[in-house]
Amino acid sequence: MSPVAAPPAESAAVRTVVHKFGGTSVADAERYRHVAQLLLAREEAIQVTVVSAMKGVTDALIELAKLAASGDEAWRERWHELRARHRAAAVSLLGEQVGGTIEWLDARFERLAEILAALAVIGELPQEVLDRVQGLGEVFSAQLLGRHLQVLGEDADVLDARDVLVVNHGELGVDVDWKASAATLALWRQSHPARRLVVTGFVARDRKGHITTLGRNGSDFSGAIFAALFAADELHIWTDVDGVLSADPRVVPEAVQLEALSYDEACELAYFGAKVVHPQTMSPAIERGLPIIIRNTFQPQHPGTRITAASGGRGPIKGLTLSPDLAVLNVEGTGLIGVPGTAERVFAALRNAHVSVVMISQGSSEHSICCVVRQAEAGRARDAVVQAFSHELAAGQVQRVQTTEGVSVLAAVGDGMAGQPGVAARLFEALGRAQVNILAIAQGSSERNISVVVDGKDATKALRAAHAGFWLSPQTFSVGVIGPGNVGAALLEQLRSAQPQLLARARLDLRLRAIASRSHMLLEARGVQGDWKAAFDAASQPLDLDAFADHLLSARLPHTLIIDCSGSAEVAERYAGWLAAGIHVVTPNKQAGSGPLARYRAIREAAAATGARFRYEATVGAGLPVITTLRDLVDTGDEVSAIAGIFSGTLAWLFNKYDGSVPFSQLVAQARAMGYTEPDPRDDLSGVDVARKLVILAREAGYESSLEDVAVESLVPEALRQASVEDFMARLHEVDAAFAQRLADARARGLVLRYVAQFAPGQAPSVGLVELPADHAFANLRLTDNVVQFTTRRYCDNPLVVQGPGAGPEVTAAGVFADVLRVAAGEGARL
Ligand code: ASP
Ligand code: MG
């Protein structure tokens, strides 16, 4: 159990405090002891504690009465059990001094047995008798706590609310006879001046003097009533959570506790299902402006949530709630336009059918009226409205009365949004980005609540996305990585080490939930923590890309992202489908960007349709901002007239080095030994990889280019193309003489050799060895640098050049990571 200590803020200056503890807080002797300690640790001058029955006792009492009235003898056994439970608690709490209390309890249980026996005889259960019986739990409970405090030596008394509290059951519920109640209380107080009082919740008496209750869960109301009657300075409602949260933590684990709320905000949140006290029951406290503090019995040192007349805290939105199991009822008809009284008829029909309306929305065209009702009442609602408009339906003035079931209402609540533009936009943007469709919208002119109707299956995602959209929790991505090889492994490391900072500074949560290689995959529900490699190696599930994507989507996180670090065409084949499902794709894999045009178009179309992003900066120049630069040029209306450059670090190094002093084949062997080449150097020397990059850039520049269009000069002689890698390396010296000759020819003209890619609209794109002046930009690079030169309408005499290290797992992974962050920023992360 947590230590009990009153927070310092609550000084002796607070004179009278009313506390309310629910059934869970007094479930057994152990819990009563905890409550007593918590109360004794507090300083207030007058302490009034309102208690519920022990957990489950009210239900048990109702059950007893029903059994007895139905003639079921089983009530006797239940009665014994209930008495035993209370006796045991009394013994545990009061020890040697339990004697009088056992007698007290037994007398009441005897009286209860008499009532039950009488019910068995009359064979029915009058409301009056039920009221008498169901409130007994509070009577027992208050006695147990009050006696316990006395046994601990405290100046404590028990107040049975049935002796002072007078209420009246009216049409809008229970109302309190304040005058009568206050007068009786004052009288009672004269003979009971104790500093600590324990009061029964739930029960009262009516004007005729009959015992009654305040309705199920009425003890909160009791708390507020006694706070008013005692003119308390504060009302503390003790529950099992730290206060009011910004959202249901079962749906949004990142939900934050709210320090302060206004009464209005609390009412809105409560209405839409947040775990806050019910506004109606709090009205006695609210009318008197009493601060209500919601706090945790299990964490008494936590300050909880303070609800007062003034709003507090930052941000336009305090909290978000979700009401499930609703249905939209839509009445549509050309005959409704401009006809007064239509809305009234709809709502009158619903009222007559006893259907409660949760939300209303009507567009100003008046063509349709839409309201939200409980799913269980949807059929009844529809029938009622169909009947009410049967004449208009037959006459064709009303075309449709429709229900859409299985919807949820998401409500964003906060005083801070009144008069502040952009709040609704932020909500809709967050939902739009998470691909959540909105069925209907309502905002009251108090501007304290925006409600949207969404499909029930989107509800969780919608709540999470909106919560993150208001920065109440981080933007969360469900992330899967394919191909944990060189680049993939480097990326996973970078992701892992950047994670804490991204969370703290950018409120971005890139949650790694799946890793796949060619052979197998790891699917993690919560996200891979710590050593991804060990976890991945231990996984044994065979690769299944459908299951992989389904798993990523199944978390219902606001955003889903697949990072493909494989070089596989098969994986690239999936991109369009993933994008169509709203999954963002980031990749250094060149297959999609340079593969068949049909596939490329399908990818672009899917991305455009759903707004999911496809990014592949690292396919050209690794981490260098080549594609981003090109996109900026094109997006700002520039026209690209030529693209040229050295796109291969390997080929750059070879020709920067090649001066004739070392034969070409030996340079290749050296480059391979240093890891500058692919395991099979022909992959670099063939020029195909360079050609792929050229196609990607040409397409980005807006031209329909294909690999087949590129004239590729392969540096691998025909004869060596089929050989094994070893054979190839052994026989590569066969090319040395030819290269030496080309170099000599170039030099004779005062030129140097470089392997260059070139594209210009209207000309055949090419990659191959060219001769350049020794002072050309491409001839003066650092050994393995890449260079890309864009000639455009704006950059025509002096082309725009991007240059720098363009290979290696680290920089490539960083290029991929940068794309990931761009996607996140596009989804609203604060980067
Ligand atoms: N014991 C009553 C009930 O369960 C009142 C309350 O606990 O608020 O409804
Ligand atoms: Mg790049």
Side-chain angles (χ1 to χ4, degrees), residues 617-618 620-624 626:
E617 174 64 83
V620 182
L624 297 179
V626 177

Side-chain angles (χ1 to χ4, degrees), residues 52-53 58 138 202 216-220:
S52 290
T58 310
E138 271 71 8
F202 191 39
R216 288 309 304 265
N217 305 312
S219 294
D220 282 341

Side-chain angles (χ1 to χ4, degrees), residues 268 359-360 412 417-418 441-451:
E268 298 278 358
M359 186 184 126
I360 302 167
M417 66 173 142
I441 302 167
Q443 177 188 301
S445 62
S446 73
E447 297 186 57
R448 207 170 281 123
N449 168 331
I450 303 177
S451 300

Side-chain angles (χ1 to χ4, degrees), residues 443-493:
Q443 177 188 301
S445 62
S446 73
E447 297 186 57
R448 207 170 281 123
N449 168 331
I450 303 177
S451 300
V452 298
V453 181
V454 299
D455 192 323
K457 69 176 176 7
D458 287 337
T460 299
K461 188 165 83 165
L463 179 57
R464 289 176 181 170
H467 200 265
F470 287 109
W471 297 321
L472 294 167
S473 58
Q475 283 290 355
T476 308
F477 282 71
S478 177
V479 178
V481 173
I482 300 174
N486 282 342
V487 174
L491 176 72
L492 285 163
E493 286 308 326

Side-chain angles (χ1 to χ4, degrees), residues 759-824:
F759 169 85
Q763 293 172 29
S766 68
V767 303
L769 214 47
V770 298
E771 295 178 354
L772 298 173
D775 61 354
H776 191 279
F778 296 177
N780 294 282
L781 299 174
R782 295 176 67 118
L783 286 177
T784 59
D785 271 5
N786 279 19
V787 60
V788 186
Q789 175 183 291
F790 298 112
T791 310
T792 71
R793 193 160 41 74
R794 290 183 200 133
Y795 294 93
C796 63
D797 298 335
N798 189 8
L800 177 64
V801 172
V802 181
Q803 178 187 334
E810 286 293 325
V811 290
T812 307
V816 176
F817 200 172
D819 268 350
V820 168
L821 296 183
R822 279 184 205 109
V823 170

Side-chain angles (χ1 to χ4, degrees), residues 267-392:
C267 288
E268 298 278 358
L269 281 174
Y271 183 77
F272 286 96
K275 203 175 170 187
V276 198
V277 286
H278 200 283
Q280 238 164 354
T281 65
M282 286 301 106
S283 61
I286 293 175
E287 276 161 24
R288 287 161 183 79
L290 289 183
I292 302 166
I293 295 120
I294 314 284
R295 48 198 314 181
N296 193 346
T297 321
F298 299 91
Q299 307 268 10
Q301 70 288 355
H302 193 290
T305 300
R306 205 179 167 83
I307 308 176
T308 59
S311 178
R314 286 167 289 124
I317 294 295
K318 281 298 173 47
L320 292 139
T321 64
L322 208 53
S323 315
D325 302 323
L326 302 171
V328 177
L329 172 72
N330 197 39
V331 185
E332 206 174 300
T334 41
L336 302 180
I337 301 171
V339 179
T342 314
E344 193 201 329
R345 283 173 61 200
V346 171
F347 297 118
L350 294 176
R351 183 197 58 208
N352 295 339
H354 300 286
V355 173
S356 155
V357 176
V358 174
M359 186 184 126
I360 302 167
S361 166
Q362 180 188 316
S364 62
S365 75
E366 303 180 46
H367 179 232
S368 67
I369 298 177
C370 139
C371 60
V372 177
V373 300
R374 297 208 167 73
Q375 167 108 313
E377 297 174 356
R380 216 163 74 224
R382 208 191 91 90
D383 293 346
V385 174
V386 165
Q387 208 179 10
F389 288 87
S390 57
H391 177 72
E392 287 84 348

